[in-house]
């Protein structure tokens, strides 16, 4: 029995825009906005470090150069995740 070819990768993640207010992210066909007030780790980060984002598994994003690990749910519903880690930037 032969296995069929893998389907199209629908788990793609990319940063679509960086502004003075925050970062826009496209993940699995949905665009998210991460304002610096709620996601301070990105405010003073290098552009290259913000662009280097990986989706480790569905709904789990990781920026290895910044050591930032976020669930898509925390981006989509930040009010449900009120605690912010200390950011020394």
């Amino acid at each position: 029995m032969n296995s069929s070819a893998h389907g199209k990768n629908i788990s793609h993640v990319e940063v679509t825009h960086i502004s003075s207010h925050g970062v826009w992210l496209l993940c699995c066909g949905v665009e998210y906005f991460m304002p610096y007030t709620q996601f301070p780790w990105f405010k003073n980060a290098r552009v290259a470090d913000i662009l280097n984002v990986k989706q480790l598994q569905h709904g789990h994003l990781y920026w290895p150069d910044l050591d930032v690990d976020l669930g898509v749910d925390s981006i989509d519903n930040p009010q449900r995740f009120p605690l912010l880690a200390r950011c020394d930037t």
Side-chain angles (χ1 to χ4, degrees), residues 32-35 37-41 70-84:
Y32 300 94
F33 176 62
M34 299 185 302
T37 55
Q38 294 172 319
F39 301 92
W41 312 281
L70 294 172
V72 171
D73 194 38
S74 68
I75 298 169
D76 196 26
N77 301 294
Q79 68 280 3
R80 291 181 46 209
F81 303 87
L83 299 177
L84 290 176

Side-chain angles (χ1 to χ4, degrees), residues 27-56:
C27 181
C28 300
V30 178
E31 190 169 48
Y32 300 94
F33 176 62
M34 299 185 302
Y36 298 134
T37 55
Q38 294 172 319
F39 301 92
W41 312 281
F42 302 103
K43 186 172 185 176
N44 295 315
R46 295 178 337 137
V47 170
D49 295 343
I50 296 172
L51 294 175
N52 184 21
V53 57
K54 313 277 187 229
Q55 184 166 210
L56 301 180

Side-chain angles (χ1 to χ4, degrees), residues 2-16:
N2 289 333
S3 297
S4 61
H6 292 280
K8 183 178 178 182
N9 182 2
I10 60 170
S11 298
H12 184 70
V13 60
E14 75 175 287
V15 173
T16 59

